[in-house]
Amino acid sequence: MERSQERNGGEGVAGREPGGEGLRLRREIGLWSAVSLMAGCMIGSGVFMSPQGVLVYMGSPGASLMVWAGCGLLAMMGALCYAELSALVPKSGGEYAYILQIFGSLPAFLVIYTFVLLVRPAAIAAVSLSFAEYAVTPFYPGCSSMPQAVLKGVAASCILLLTLVNCWSSRLATMLVNVCAVAKVFSLLVIVVGGAVVLGQGRGHTETFLLAFHNTTQQAGRIGMAFYQGMWSFDGWNNVNYVVEELKNPKQNLVWAVMIAIPLVTSLYLLVNISYLLVLSPNEILSSDAMAVSWGNQVLGAWAWLVPLAVVLSTFGSANGMFFGGSRVCYVAAREGHMPQLLSMVHVHRLTPSPALMFTTAVALVLVIPGSFSTIVNFLSFLGWITYGTTIGCLLYLRIKKKNLPRPYKVPTIIPVIMLLASLYLVLAPIIDHPQIEFLYIFLFLLSGIPVYFLFVYFHCQPRCLQMATLYLQLLLEVAPTTKNVD
């Protein structure tokens, strides 16, 4: 093992305990890598596809911009609450780790059950489908609809390539996160500058802003659905919490990463949306299948091909960040006994959580087949806000029951209260105002985790065939158990 570590030059995410008791996660992520991971996960397909959905549900450009600003504020407040929780529960796993520590095993299992089997793989599938849509657009000019087989094939190829990268080396995966994050910020700056040039030339749709709030919806459910679409673009604000055990100086760097990444991304999103509204009329935005491409055709002319390239880089980097963070949650849950033991192991040479990565890949590939971007976004957001609300409840519980716990970092109590109320609104308003049968299916899926928990976790029912399969797969994949980072 020592020779294999020397051969890899410390490339992986794990290392030996000082006492030689086993493998553990190594702290490889510095402040700027944390900023890149957070910003890189947030800047994905959303800002190129969600503005259309926000405008559809809100009905007016001015209200749409208010929703984008509100989404940024919610992301910032949520991330600050999570930073306090991370200081109190210094473990990788994000919401799962906090709920397990504070509310116990069953609620935590339901979170990880939905996260591992649906939420994270579906998010990867949605972003990969966006990647595929923009990647194949240049090859089908003038085509209103592209062959679904081609889209699904490209999306699946994206997922498999990212699996290979993340299984090969965690350092390579973080380097890819950093490179893609820089490319994403640059591409958004191009859109912002392009909008400013159009405005300076007097060619912009300034009349859009004169009647900015005309036709704004008053329905609570539609406002909730608009926030679902907008918050999808901020999905990833909690990604660094999933890898806290790999973060250098986490008590300080996590807060700084939040303070840098989220205001940066929120500002860029607002400016990008203003640029869209200056170049494209609301009707053009609503009728466009690829809004960023329509913007590029009008502003960049012969250089319009840069836009789909930028979107491809953004979605590829975002999917990579989801893999990097999501596989760690699966790994932590397996380490706690809530997932098969195999998923808690790391490769003995590459020192990456390859079984968890492969499992996430398999589920994501299955979900790509019937997947549709807008449907996935709405129902993932519904499940996500149930989890966020429960996690914020953990923080409020600790404020009431354990006031004397040492807190290196503390947010004003009003912030978690606002986040909890926002979570309740975003879960209940769409159901009350515009009930859909799919919400019932999601709720039933969540409840189905209860018998699974009692059978496999509480009563420890583990068929001998599963134990033998774990042993053989451990030998085949060359993986070994790990220990925790607690410092």
Side-chain angles (χ1 to χ4, degrees):
M1 172 62 74
E2 286 80 359
R3 287 194 299 272
S4 71
Q5 288 179 2
E6 290 170 6
R7 186 168 60 249
N8 281 282
E11 218 177 27
V13 301
R16 276 203 179 275
E17 289 277 16
E21 295 175 0
L23 299 171
R24 67 170 179 173
L25 294 169
R26 180 182 294 144
R27 298 194 185 276
E28 296 279 4
I29 303 173
L31 173 59
W32 293 109
S33 289
V35 171
S36 296
L37 178 61
M38 189 176 292
C41 287
M42 285 191 284
I43 304 173
S45 60
V47 72
F48 301 104
M49 302 185 77
S50 293
Q52 188 178 46
V54 175
L55 185 59
V56 165
Y57 286 114
M58 292 307 300
S60 70
S64 299
L65 290 175
M66 290 185 67
V67 166
W68 282 98
C71 289
L73 183 61
L74 281 178
M76 172 62 84
M77 291 192 296
L80 291 174
C81 292
Y82 274 41
E84 180 178 339
L85 278 168
S86 177
L88 295 170
V89 185
K91 297 179 182 178
S92 292
E95 297 93 349
Y96 166 76
Y98 310 144
I99 293 171
L100 176 64
Q101 184 83 11
I102 296 158
F103 287 156
S105 185
L106 177 57
F109 177 82
L110 294 179
V111 167
I112 200 63
Y113 178 75
T114 55
F115 185 94
V116 170
L117 293 182
L118 184 61
V119 173
R120 186 55 58 170
I124 292 170
V127 174
S128 300
L129 287 167
S130 303
F131 167 88
E133 187 171 333
Y134 277 91
V136 303
T137 293
F139 301 100
Y140 292 89
C143 234
S144 59
S145 61
M146 285 160 281
Q148 287 299 303
V150 174
L151 285 177
K152 309 287 186 182
V154 172
S157 300
C158 170
I159 291 171
L160 291 171
L161 178 58
L162 287 173
T163 304
L164 179 61
V165 168
N166 280 269
C167 285
W168 186 262
S169 165
S170 288
R171 183 166 293 177
L172 178 61
T174 54
M175 286 175 59
L176 182 60
V177 165
N178 293 342
V179 170
C180 287
V182 172
K184 293 173 188 187
V185 172
F186 179 76
S187 64
L188 293 185
L189 287 174
V190 168
I191 295 177
V192 171
V193 172
V197 170
V198 168
L199 180 62
Q201 293 174 344
R203 297 190 291 117
H205 289 276
T206 52
E207 70 279 0
T208 298
F209 297 93
L210 297 176
L211 299 170
F213 292 93
H214 177 67
N215 202 34
T216 300
T217 185
Q218 304 295 322
Q219 298 179 25
R222 292 185 69 83
I223 295 172
M225 297 300 281
F227 269 92
Y228 279 2
Q229 292 287 325
M231 285 305 296
W232 168 256
S233 299
F234 288 89
D235 187 51
W237 57 263
N238 55 344
N239 238 44
V240 177
N241 293 79
Y242 297 149
V243 295
V244 163
E245 291 178 40
E246 296 169 71
L247 184 63
K248 298 174 183 176
N249 192 10
K251 292 179 181 178
Q252 179 178 324
N253 284 344
L254 180 56
V255 177
W256 276 110
V258 169
M259 299 298 290
I260 295 170
I262 297 180
L264 171 67
V265 171
T266 303
S267 302
L268 284 172
Y269 280 0
L270 285 170
L271 292 172
V272 165
N273 274 275
I274 291 171
S275 180
Y276 286 151
L277 292 167
L278 282 170
V279 173
L280 304 170
S281 69
N283 287 335
E284 287 176 320
I285 291 174
L286 295 176
S287 61
S288 175
D289 288 331
M291 184 176 57
V293 172
S294 300
W295 181 95
N297 290 336
Q298 293 202 28
V299 177
L300 300 179
W303 293 90
W305 57 270
L306 287 173
V307 174
L309 177 62
V311 179
V312 164
L313 283 173
S314 293
T315 49
F316 189 76
S318 184
N320 179 56
M322 289 179 177
F323 257 110
F324 190 82
S327 64
R328 269 59 178 179
V329 182
C330 184
Y331 155 84
V332 171
R335 193 178 64 185
E336 298 291 343
H338 283 167
M339 285 285 143
Q341 183 187 9
L342 181 70
L343 301 183
S344 69
M345 300 181 187
V346 299
H347 196 278
V348 294
H349 301 306
R350 296 293 166 190
L351 304 174
T352 55
S354 50
L357 285 162
M358 292 176 186
F359 181 81
T360 302
T361 299
V363 181
L365 288 172
V366 170
L367 292 174
V368 158
I369 299 169
S372 150
F373 178 81
S374 59
T375 304
I376 288 175
V377 168
N378 284 339
F379 297 116
L380 281 187
S381 298
F382 173 75
L383 264 176
W385 281 103
I386 293 176
T387 304
Y388 299 153
T390 307
T391 308
I392 298 301
C394 292
L395 182 56
L396 291 172
Y397 175 85
L398 290 177
R399 288 288 179 88
I400 296 168
K401 294 292 186 179
K402 298 186 178 181
K403 298 178 182 179
N404 297 324
L405 276 178
R407 289 175 167 84
Y409 166 77
K410 185 177 180 180
V411 295
T413 304
I414 188 63
I415 291 180
V417 169
I418 292 172
M419 278 298 296
L420 183 61
L421 293 175
S423 301
L424 289 172
Y425 173 81
L426 290 172
V427 168
L428 296 177
I431 297 175
I432 295 170
D433 194 65
H434 187 59
Q436 299 179 54
I437 190 65
E438 287 84 357
F439 288 125
L440 177 61
Y441 295 154
I442 290 174
F443 187 65
L444 292 175
F445 177 80
L446 185 63
L447 291 180
S448 71
I450 296 175
V452 174
Y453 169 80
F454 281 103
L455 183 62
F456 292 105
V457 179
Y458 189 80
F459 292 113
H460 301 287
C461 179
Q462 295 187 7
R464 182 169 176 78
C465 60
L466 181 61
Q467 297 175 20
M468 293 301 296
T470 299
L471 178 61
Y472 286 125
L473 287 172
Q474 183 179 352
L475 294 171
L476 177 65
L477 299 176
E478 296 184 303
V479 293
T482 63
T483 54
K484 302 177 186 178
N485 270 351
V486 293
D487 55 315

